[in-house]
Structures are given as structure tokens and as C-alpha cells.
Amino acid sequence: RIVDLNLAAQSLLGTSMSKAVGQDISEAFGSIEGLPSPEHATLNPLLTQPLGPSVQISCEIPFIVQGEQRFYDIRISPLNTGSKAPRGKLITAKDISNHKRTYQTLEHLQHELREQAIRDPLTGLYNRRGLAESLLTNIEAYKETSTSVSVVMTDINGFKEVNDRYGHYTGDQVLKQIADILQELCKPSGIALRYGGDEFVLIIPDSQVQGEEISPIIKDAIDKWN
């Protein structure tokens, strides 16, 4: 049961000292409007379980405070008085929302930078740098299911003539359209990559299409587009 709480805890719990003292701790936390039920289900056993003299529990819990999601680092420590069993618990809640948001922003930026490094900006396909990673990832997945895989390299015949006659802008549009066609052909479990210039690589499991059938399929799709 609660024996004391500071002003910050009173504000977080939405209660006063006179109402809180003597109240069961799980009831006090259970009545918080800003504590969603899944988080309450996580926190409640931590509040009520017995603690050893040297045991400290910590967890991260989101609260809704004045309509805004805040994150708190909850730490539960034993209050020792020299006896073997602790006489109580000290519960502290540190607002780590700013740190959490900064970390999430950094994670997002790292993901974007990584994507920029391994993706071709024109077509959106993985580039040569992403090829090795894609091969390793997909081939390992295919091994687990005992699936063979075809790796095909192809290019656009006469692409230099397109650039020379119609300009590089038109050439870029051709590359983007070809990339879309190849990506669509690789679905659902294959992958298309731009190796460089007008060269593309396709990684396709043979369960989807046999290796010798890929070239005619590509040619037919391009012919239909033309």
C-alpha cells in the first residue's frame, strides 16, 4: 500500500496525498486514465510481486499525459531496513520522452541513409551495393525451404541510341519503366535490382518460374509495353 508520494507522482497518478496514502498500489495505477490496458497488464505484476533485498526491476511504460504520449522509465527498488525481507518498495518514474523521440528520429534517419546507400535513386530498385545483401538474404531464405533460385543479368538493347536520339530525360523514363516491368515480373517472392547503367539483375526462385523461362517472359513483357 502507498505510504508516501511526491508532487510529481500525484500529478502523474491524478490523485492527492490524502486520497493515495493507504491505497493499494495496483488500484492506484489501475485508475490512471493515461495508462492503456496492455501497459497496465505489464506493469501490475511488477508492482505487486515480492522483491528480494538486492533485486531491482526496471521497465519502459508509455503514458498519455494531457493528450500527449509520454514515455517513463519505471524503476522498482527494495526498501531495506537490515532485515532479510525488504519492508517495502521505492517506485520512481523518470520521463524519458525526449530521449525516446531523439532515439526514434536517429533510427529513422539511419534507416533513410541506409536505404539511400543501397537503392538506385532513379528506379527505386536496389543498386549494386544492395545486390550482395539481397543475394545473401534471399539465398539463405531459399535454403531454408530447399528452393533453388535463378540469378539473371539483362540489359536494354540499343539503349545508347535512345539517349542519343531522344535525350537523357527520355532515357531515364525508359529505365524507370523497364525497372517497373522487371519488378512486377519478379513478384511475389523475387527481386529486381539495377546493377548499373542499363543493366539489371533479377533474383527469382525456381518455384515461381524456371530459369530458362525467364528470358522469354521478360522479352514478351517489354514487347507488350512497346
Side-chain angles (χ1 to χ4, degrees), residues 194-211:
R194 185 183 178 193
Y195 191 74
D198 64 339
E199 295 177 321
F200 295 87
V201 174
L202 284 67
I203 305 172
I204 305 178
D206 281 349
S207 58
Q208 183 173 310
V209 59
Q210 296 297 314

Side-chain angles (χ1 to χ4, degrees), residues 166-185:
Y166 302 105
H168 288 279
Y169 174 80
T170 300
D172 286 348
Q173 299 310 305
V174 171
L175 287 170
K176 290 169 68 174
Q177 186 64 48
I178 295 295
D180 290 343
I181 292 171
L182 295 178
Q183 194 168 34
E184 190 66 28
L185 290 176

